[in-house]
Amino acid sequence: MAAGAGGIMNGERLRPGTGWVWLVMAGLVSVVAAGWATAADVDPAAASVPGCETRAPESGRSLRALVRRLRDARDPGRAGLADRLRCAVAAEPDLGLRLLTPLVDAGSDPVGALLAAKAVAGLGAAAAPAVPGLIGLLDSPDESARIIAAQTLASIGTPASPAVDRLSARLEASSPIERQAMATALARMGPEAGRAAPALARLLADPDARVAGASSLAFEALAHDARAALPELIALLEHGDLAVQARAARAIGDVGPHAASALPALDALTEREVRDGAADGPLARTLVEARERIDLRRAIESRGVRAASLLGLVEPWLADPDPVRRREGARLTGFLGRAAEPAVPALVGLVADPDVEVRLAAVHALGLIDAREPTVVRAIATALADPELRLRRTAARTLAGFGEAATPASEALLSCLADEDAMVRRSGAEALLAADPAGERMLPALEALLGDPRPRVRLGAADELARHASRFPTIVALLVERLEDPDENVRLAAARGLGRLGPAGERAIPVLRRLLDGPDERMRRVAADVLARVGGMEPEALAALAPRLEDTSGPARLPAIHALETLGPAARAELPTLLRLLRHPDLQTRQAAARAVASVLAGDPASVLETLDGLLEDGDPSVRASGAYALGRFGEAAAPAVDRLIALLDDPDPSTRAQAAAALGGIGAPASAAIEVLRARERDEDLRVSSAARQAVARLRTPTRSR
């Protein structure tokens, strides 16, 4: 520290009458030999205060004794009590504050006041009771006492904000160290320090770089609360010193969107820098950064911790005559989240705006704010009947996110169940179930819609019932009934819903059996698949599927084969039929049968290897290819067939060669002996063979877990 009006630091000589100050300050940094102890004796509370880590704990009695000595102005050693007193207060903060706060405020004993202020500094915000005394200490004739007071107020932080005016007044002190201390303290005072911003702005041009730096940091801490300093900051942009101009520009950027009035001055200075050939200079870059930080959209969309303070700037946009401005205002307000709750009434009004984009932005914003009041819910509910699909989707999705709070919108949500759009229906159903988990209102409404004369409405109802079939067993009967709906899409939706239920949907088996014989190919395929899923081990289901395995019609045959693949080992009785199908002339049938065989045998081909070997030697190339394809479905379990598959790589039929290569790749490690032959086939003239060979080599050279 440098010398001040009433004291000095750094060993400078004292002027007459101020020697006691130097003794005090020497005592604040002295090391007192008495009272040290081992680490095991350290008080945990005091140990958190720097310098107190190795001190023995002071008892309440010791603290009282120290304070008594502190009160004794005649005690020549009280200046040396500083460290012990500070650690004792850290160990007994409540008692320390009660004993020392009166001393901080004691104008008749400046030494005691200074020592007391130093002792409570380590308590942070808990030392708030000492603030009035510390404010008084800022008027001490001694510079060192004023600096200690400012530092202690800084450590207290926002609770010390009543000191703002006195700290601001001391910014004009003659000592740069004192000015720096005051500016640093103001940075910790919170929003109340905003009224000191004009005085802080003047320090940006301080000849001492440490003072100017402390002022810059204060603006960074105060941000938008420093907007009162904008006239001073704008004036500093015309300062002759580039460093001062840069500090002023940074401070304007710290103020953010509240500094919009500074944009013309920033632009003028930027243009000047460009004209002077300094467009890439540090000042020009600082000016650009400041301008970007003033942009309201950017500031809000960044969702920074201070974005909530920007509501006052964007809220007027909600009432702007320009719909584009209203829409943007609603959008940005939503980004502020719960901090934008004061704007909820205005947003509710915009839900009925004549401009659809404004309505959409308002509903979306209310969802982001999570405003769940009944008035908000009812307003959003009106959007469910809007002709604009995007708005209906957004409203339904928003209400679904409100959970039970969406109950006031129940009637409107019920209407969503008949909406032509699946997303609206689904969100509406989710919102209804969130408010009514038992589905007491939704299920009867969907059941009624199943009888609607419009196929699209029936389809939507069936689709929603299908989505919730596993949750509500009573839905099964409704879906079974819809399996015979005159509209194909409704039948399909009901069938898929039953398929999700598994065995719980077995009561649908009789109807599904009838659908297997229906004229619609897609319905037959879905019916076979659902029958396999709900039938499980039921003889009735297997009896319905088995006759269709060898149907002359592919659309009837393939769904049955796929269904047996779904059943797996439960369909073992049909294995002989599936093996016969491996010789079927239709490629899709052969491949479907191969997959079903692997599923029925649960990946163990031991019982059919002889049969599959026979396929590899068949005179029909399509049958040979089918046998190779089937073996590839078994993975490593088909290792006994590796040699025969290697031999097939020389088959005259390219499809057989390709399937043999693919099968070897599927078998994996046990087929590694085939790598050289496969490499030769990478140059095969048939693209299918060369591609399959390359893929097989890659799989065989890549270690994999056992299949």
Side-chain angles (χ1 to χ4, degrees):
M1 293 184 180
I8 64 168
M9 296 297 291
N10 291 338
E12 296 182 28
R13 271 187 149 343
L14 290 169
R15 290 179 294 178
T18 60
W20 61 269
V21 177
W22 175 243
L23 291 175
V24 170
M25 296 310 297
L28 291 176
V29 296
S30 66
V31 176
V32 181
W36 296 95
T38 64
D41 297 324
V42 176
D43 185 285
S48 64
V49 177
C52 300
E53 296 87 349
T54 55
R55 281 193 179 277
E58 299 276 3
S59 66
R61 180 178 298 178
S62 299
L63 178 56
R64 287 187 176 88
L66 289 171
V67 173
R68 279 196 299 273
R69 290 189 60 187
L70 186 63
R71 287 196 183 106
D72 187 358
R74 295 170 299 176
D75 188 335
R78 66 173 180 163
L81 300 176
D83 287 335
R84 284 186 63 193
L85 190 60
R86 182 166 54 90
C87 296
V89 170
E92 295 276 355
D94 293 338
L95 178 61
L97 278 173
R98 194 162 62 249
L99 296 175
L100 291 173
T101 297
L103 292 179
V104 175
D105 202 16
S108 59
D109 184 7
V111 177
L114 189 149
L115 288 168
K118 188 72 173 177
V120 302
L123 298 181
V131 168
L134 292 167
I135 292 175
L137 204 55
L138 289 174
D139 291 326
S140 170
D142 181 69
E143 175 191 322
S144 301
R146 296 193 298 271
I147 291 173
I148 292 296
Q151 292 171 342
T152 305
L153 288 165
S155 72
I156 294 171
T158 304
S161 59
V164 165
D165 293 335
R166 294 306 306 140
L167 290 167
S168 179
R170 297 304 309 171
L171 290 174
E172 299 180 3
S174 59
S175 163
I177 295 296
E178 185 174 352
R179 295 196 300 277
Q180 179 185 0
M182 302 302 155
T184 301
L186 283 166
R188 302 289 303 276
M189 296 294 106
E192 292 296 322
R195 59 180 182 271
L200 285 167
R202 291 190 286 274
L203 290 189
L204 293 174
D206 196 280
D208 190 292
R210 293 169 299 178
V211 177
S215 181
S216 288
L217 291 175
F219 275 98
E220 183 178 335
L222 291 173
H224 65 277
D225 293 318
R227 53 187 177 273
L230 282 173
E232 288 80 2
L233 294 174
I234 292 171
L236 286 175
L237 292 176
E238 299 298 325
H239 197 280
D241 189 326
L242 289 179
V244 174
Q245 291 175 310
R247 291 189 203 112
R250 276 195 297 272
I252 289 171
D254 289 330
V255 175
H258 292 278
S261 61
L263 287 174
L266 290 172
D267 291 342
L269 185 53
T270 302
E271 291 173 6
R272 193 184 314 160
E273 288 295 291
V274 172
R275 286 197 306 271
D276 293 346
D280 295 326
L283 176 57
R285 290 196 297 270
T286 301
L287 291 167
V288 171
E289 290 171 5
R291 204 183 197 297
E292 289 177 350
R293 294 173 68 188
I294 292 172
D295 185 87
L296 181 59
R297 290 176 178 85
R298 182 189 295 265
I300 291 180
E301 289 172 357
S302 70
R303 302 184 188 226
V305 294
R306 295 184 179 272
S309 68
L310 306 176
L311 178 61
L313 295 177
V314 73
E315 199 169 7
W317 295 15
L318 301 177
D320 197 280
D322 183 357
V324 175
R325 191 79 159 175
R326 293 198 302 277
R327 180 192 64 196
E328 187 67 359
R331 188 181 72 84
L332 294 175
T333 302
F335 279 128
L336 297 177
R338 291 184 180 275
E341 286 183 354
V344 164
L347 289 169
V348 167
L350 291 182
V351 174
D353 195 276
D355 186 276
V356 65
E357 298 299 332
V358 175
R359 298 198 299 273
L360 184 62
V363 171
H364 186 59
L366 289 168
L368 292 176
I369 296 169
D370 201 26
R372 303 187 178 196
E373 296 82 1
T375 54
V376 175
V377 171
R378 284 191 284 269
I380 295 175
T382 62
L384 295 173
D386 198 282
E388 172 59 46
L389 174 59
R390 292 176 300 151
L391 184 53
R392 296 201 307 278
R393 284 180 174 178
T394 302
R397 190 167 55 244
T398 299
L399 291 171
F402 282 178
E404 190 176 353
T407 301
S410 294
E411 289 299 326
L413 288 167
L414 287 171
S415 68
C416 286
L417 301 178
D419 197 280
E420 62 181 16
D421 182 69
M423 291 180 64
V424 175
R425 293 195 303 269
R426 291 183 181 182
S427 296
E430 289 171 8
L432 284 167
L433 286 175
D436 174 25
E440 293 180 356
R441 301 198 67 182
M442 184 188 78
L443 295 181
L446 288 173
E447 183 177 359
L449 291 173
L450 287 174
D452 194 282
R454 295 165 294 176
R456 181 173 291 182
V457 174
R458 295 200 306 278
L459 171 61
D463 189 51
E464 279 310 307
L465 285 168
R467 290 181 63 242
H468 302 289
S470 58
R471 179 172 178 177
F472 300 107
T474 57
I475 288 177
V476 174
L478 299 174
L479 292 177
V480 171
E481 181 182 339
R482 286 301 111 190
L483 287 175
E484 298 184 279
D485 192 278
D487 185 80
E488 176 193 1
N489 289 322
V490 177
R491 296 195 300 273
L492 289 169
R496 292 190 182 105
L498 288 165
R500 294 189 184 118
L501 295 175
E506 62 182 6
R507 63 189 298 179
I509 292 176
V511 183
L512 291 168
R513 290 190 65 175
R514 289 198 298 273
L515 292 174
L516 284 175
D517 296 321
D520 180 55
E521 176 185 340
R522 187 163 58 147
M523 193 66 231
R524 290 199 302 271
R525 186 169 62 249
V526 172
D529 179 67
V530 175
L531 191 58
R533 294 177 187 276
V534 304
M537 294 293 291
E538 290 295 320
E540 188 180 1
L542 288 171
L545 293 168
R548 288 162 177 78
L549 292 174
E550 296 184 274
D551 196 290
T552 56
S553 168
R557 183 177 58 248
L558 288 170
I561 299 173
H562 292 315
L564 292 186
E565 180 184 357
T566 301
L567 286 173
R572 193 179 182 94
E574 303 305 322
L575 184 59
T577 305
L578 291 171
L579 290 171
R580 285 197 301 275
L581 290 174
L582 292 175
R583 295 177 177 272
H584 197 281
D586 178 63
L587 174 63
Q588 285 184 303
T589 298
R590 293 196 304 271
Q591 292 186 342
R595 291 192 296 271
V597 167
S599 175
V600 168
L601 292 174
D604 181 7
S607 63
V608 296
L609 274 178
E610 185 176 345
T611 301
L612 296 178
D613 280 347
L615 296 179
L616 299 182
E617 298 173 0
D618 196 274
D620 186 341
S622 65
V623 175
R624 296 196 299 274
S626 176
Y629 181 85
L631 285 166
R633 303 304 96 196
F634 289 99
E636 292 185 2
V642 167
D643 291 340
R644 286 180 291 281
L645 289 168
I646 291 176
L648 281 185
L649 292 175
D650 293 323
D651 194 278
D653 177 61
S655 294
T656 302
R657 296 198 301 273
Q659 290 297 347
L664 289 165
I667 291 171
S672 58
I675 289 179
E676 294 304 319
V677 184
L678 287 166
R679 280 179 172 166
R681 283 298 164 197
E682 289 180 346
R683 296 184 295 275
D684 196 285
E685 60 184 13
D686 190 283
L687 182 61
R688 293 171 297 173
V689 179
S690 59
S691 176
R694 280 193 296 273
Q695 292 177 27
V697 169
R699 294 183 70 179
L700 293 176
R701 298 189 65 179
T702 303
T704 59
R705 289 193 291 268
S706 295
R707 293 171 178 80

